[in-house]
Amino acid sequence: MTHASDLFLRAAGLRKAYGPVTVLADVDFDLRRGEVHALVGENGAGKSTLSRILAGLLRPDAGILSLAGRVFAPGNRQAAERAGVRMVLQELNRVGNLTVAESLFLDRLPHRWGWIDFPKLHSDTRSALHRVGLVDVEPTTPIDRLGVGQRQLVEIAAGLAGQCDVLILDEPTAALTAPEIERLFGQIEQLRAAGVAILYISHRMEEIRRLANRISILRDGQMIATRPTGELSLDEMVRLMVGRDLEPDRSRSGRTLGSVALRVESLGRGRAVQDVSFEVRRGEVLGFAGLMGSGRTETMRAIFGADRPDFGRILVGDPPAPVSLRSPADAVRRGIALLTEDRKEQGLLLPLSIQANLTLPSLARACARLGWIRGGTEAALGRRWIESLAVRCRDALQPVAELSGGNQQKVVVAKWLLRDCDILIFDEPTRGIDVGAKFEIYRWLERLAAAGKAIIVVSSDLKELMSVADRIAVMSAGRLVETFRRGDWSADRIMSAALSGHLGGGVS
């Protein structure tokens, strides 16, 4: 049991505003030694702003911080880390042209007589990577060669590698699959037992209820409640977060599937994608499950023309006919859209406005006859989709870079909904999105399927796939090993299939 004397990090009256927009309004918050304190709220509620202030990445406009009973006013991240406060960011922060080892220990490279001690650096790196399950990643691997999930684990490894009294985890499992999540939870339990105070930010309610001792709820920059986890039901937590009751999910209301819209035959690309064949019908949601590195994202990139397959055929149309997709532009012209898992690098132009990002794949709808963009039309389209997906922003001209991660994801979803393609591939569509926004995305998936769109959803969240999909295809070690129909699957059967390629005699 924790007592008032265990209070370690305290914030009182924190305020933060950007121009006329108040992000935090007189927020009080505290962390105790040896506890996991969850911070929840919708996208844009102020969670990341509060955590960044605690970690020295932002300075509050007003308010007081104290650490171990002393005034705590870190001027930057390094100052916070020297005081024992470390943060693992939701948005991946490693430098792409550095190696994994250099990235992990950039601020504390081991050295002897002024020279970097590479044997020790690589040994320390392997130890840090093993803690998060990255046993197959070499310390000399460039960061930009890793997938999103692997980079997320490197970010977590960096946070765990340094000694700390306070650890802030901002959506640490957003890009991870079940085995990686379990390993991370084991590390969290060890840190909690050692007396570390942990601030845990997540949209995944089941994780919150499993890990947290207490839960604090932010809404529109105000602290709504702080309670022991056992005193909050899931329904009450959601209601406090969004300020309203969510409508029940009415998805999958007896849709009739149409003809085949996309057929993939014996697709291959190196060892990442090996002889993959499947089809998806109009009005169908086909889920793709698998562990990190199973080939799910690589398969979708090959279909979309982002990567050139070594062999195989892609057929689209009615009836399906072979097409040559040498680039994403070819795929879009053929009615295929891909919502990428890496929104910052591949899904958005961050310096541009929301309305510019929304209309980029559909410029013909906003252009006059001679190619000039009609500002009024572009603005109207921007406002329409901002309202439809409840994007929290000042207006349609706000740069996307200024939005929270979840609101950035909504912009990516909206731009493809505006494009109105017949075949929609969603790779981790709800990564970093709050529970209210997830309901909205799920409703849009159902509406699109009901309108006859063929939809593929790649997700690391099995509950999500089992909720939205008509069928679930499982990939393991680059191969599509099994496809389950609704009613035939279970989490155990899906996980067993996902592991099958890594067991005796399987593809390595």
Side-chain angles (χ1 to χ4, degrees):
M1 176 180 292
T2 54
H3 302 279
S5 59
D6 297 316
L7 294 182
F8 188 65
L9 176 62
R10 303 187 71 174
L14 288 186
R15 297 182 188 178
K16 185 68 179 177
Y18 296 98
V21 180
T22 298
V23 183
L24 293 178
D26 295 318
V27 168
D28 296 336
F29 181 78
D30 65 72
L31 274 172
R32 298 168 177 170
R33 291 184 182 274
E35 79 161 345
V36 176
H37 192 149
L39 184 63
V40 301
E42 290 190 282
N43 293 119
K47 305 185 303 297
S48 291
T49 300
L50 174 57
S51 63
R52 285 169 178 265
I53 288 173
L54 300 179
L57 293 165
L58 289 174
R59 293 191 179 184
D61 299 329
I64 298 172
L65 296 176
S66 63
L67 182 69
R70 298 180 179 179
V71 173
F72 177 56
N76 52 45
R77 184 176 185 175
Q78 290 71 32
E81 290 181 349
R82 286 194 297 270
V85 180
R86 305 185 69 89
M87 181 176 182
V88 176
L89 293 164
Q90 173 188 358
E91 301 303 336
L92 309 179
N93 220 34
R94 303 293 104 188
V95 180
N97 59 356
L98 295 181
T99 67
V100 171
E102 292 164 344
S103 181
L104 279 175
F105 295 97
L106 186 60
D107 59 345
R108 52 189 188 282
L109 293 170
H111 56 85
R112 299 177 64 188
W113 303 299
W115 297 91
I116 296 174
D117 186 346
F118 282 103
K120 178 169 174 52
L121 173 63
H122 293 164
S123 175
D124 291 347
T125 299
R126 288 191 180 92
S127 297
L129 295 178
H130 281 212
R131 292 182 71 182
V132 295
L134 289 178
V135 294
D136 297 325
V137 173
E138 288 296 321
T140 55
T141 304
I143 284 288
D144 57 9
R145 291 188 184 176
L146 302 180
V148 172
Q150 290 175 313
R151 279 184 280 158
Q152 181 69 71
L153 286 171
V154 171
E155 189 77 39
I156 293 168
L160 298 178
Q163 183 64 36
C164 67
D165 297 307
V166 175
L167 180 63
I168 303 169
L169 297 170
D170 189 357
E171 296 286 354
T173 64
L176 306 185
T177 53
E180 287 84 29
I181 291 172
E182 288 301 319
R183 184 178 290 271
L184 172 62
F185 287 176
Q187 293 294 323
I188 289 173
E189 290 299 337
Q190 290 181 28
L191 291 168
R192 172 159 48 188
V196 175
I198 301 171
L199 173 57
Y200 193 90
I201 302 171
S202 178
H203 293 308
R204 297 183 173 184
M205 296 296 103
E206 68 276 10
E207 293 181 3
I208 296 297
R209 298 191 64 80
R210 173 177 171 180
L211 290 174
N213 301 97
R214 291 188 294 158
I215 299 172
S216 286
I217 299 167
L218 275 173
R219 187 172 76 232
D220 296 329
Q222 296 182 322
M223 188 62 73
I224 301 301
T226 297
R227 298 183 192 171
T229 302
E231 295 181 7
L232 271 176
S233 69
L234 179 58
D235 287 344
E236 185 178 8
M237 195 190 319
V238 171
R239 186 165 56 252
L240 289 169
M241 283 172 55
V242 302
R244 65 189 186 278
D245 291 320
L246 293 177
E247 296 179 12
D249 184 9
R250 299 187 180 90
S251 63
R252 313 205 68 269
S253 52
R255 283 184 274 105
T256 300
L257 303 188
S259 57
V260 173
L262 170 69
R263 179 176 294 138
V264 175
E265 297 180 349
S266 301
L267 194 69
R269 177 177 167 79
R271 293 185 63 80
V273 183
Q274 302 184 53
D275 197 27
V276 171
S277 299
F278 67 91
E279 63 183 30
V280 58
R281 308 178 76 87
R282 301 178 192 281
E284 180 181 30
V285 178
L286 175 63
F288 265 75
L291 303 178
M292 188 183 301
S294 63
R296 299 170 306 169
T297 292
E298 292 81 359
T299 298
M300 301 309 149
R301 286 178 56 85
I303 293 170
F304 191 60
D307 295 325
R308 189 75 60 86
D310 300 326
F311 53 84
R313 296 199 308 168
I314 299 168
L315 300 88
V316 300
D318 190 7
V323 292
S324 177
L325 304 178
R326 298 180 178 272
S327 70
D330 288 342
V332 173
R333 281 192 289 269
R334 293 288 184 173
I336 303 174
L338 171 64
L339 187 150
T340 175
E341 67 169 346
D342 189 346
R343 59 175 171 261
K344 281 202 163 187
E345 294 293 327
Q346 301 166 3
L348 294 167
L349 295 175
L350 295 176
L352 297 188
S353 68
I354 298 169
Q355 68 183 36
N357 274 275
L358 283 172
T359 56
L360 194 60
S362 313
L363 279 178
R365 298 180 61 175
C367 287
R369 184 173 299 176
L370 296 179
W372 295 97
I373 295 176
R374 294 176 293 188
T377 302
E378 185 183 45
L381 290 169
R383 288 192 299 269
R384 171 192 166 193
W385 286 100
I386 286 170
E387 182 178 344
S388 293
L389 286 181
V391 179
R392 291 187 177 222
C393 59
R394 290 195 305 268
D395 53 43
L397 294 176
Q398 184 175 0
V400 169
E402 296 180 0
L403 302 180
S404 67
N407 281 297
Q408 289 178 353
Q409 185 77 333
K410 290 182 185 180
V411 173
V412 180
V413 172
K415 78 173 187 179
W416 288 121
L417 296 182
L418 173 60
R419 175 70 194 192
D420 196 29
C421 292
D422 290 328
I423 301 163
L424 296 158
I425 304 171
F426 292 88
D427 195 351
E428 304 288 0
T430 63
R431 176 176 172 245
I433 284 183
D434 63 74
V435 63
K438 282 186 180 183
F439 273 77
E440 292 299 324
I441 297 297
Y442 296 159
R443 278 193 280 267
W444 271 108
L445 290 175
E446 174 60 22
R447 291 172 195 165
L448 291 165
K453 306 296 186 184
I455 300 171
I456 297 173
V457 176
V458 178
S459 179
S460 301
D461 187 339
L462 282 186
K463 289 184 179 179
E464 179 169 272
L465 287 182
M466 291 189 286
S467 173
V468 304
D470 299 288
R471 292 183 297 139
I472 297 178
V474 185
M475 293 195 67
S476 182
R479 298 184 182 276
L480 199 162
V481 293
E482 195 159 359
T483 301
F484 297 96
R485 294 187 177 276
R486 177 168 287 276
D488 294 336
W489 65 51
S490 68
D492 288 344
R493 294 188 68 189
I494 292 172
M495 186 56 62
S496 177
L499 290 167
S500 64
H502 303 278
L503 301 177
V507 179
S508 62

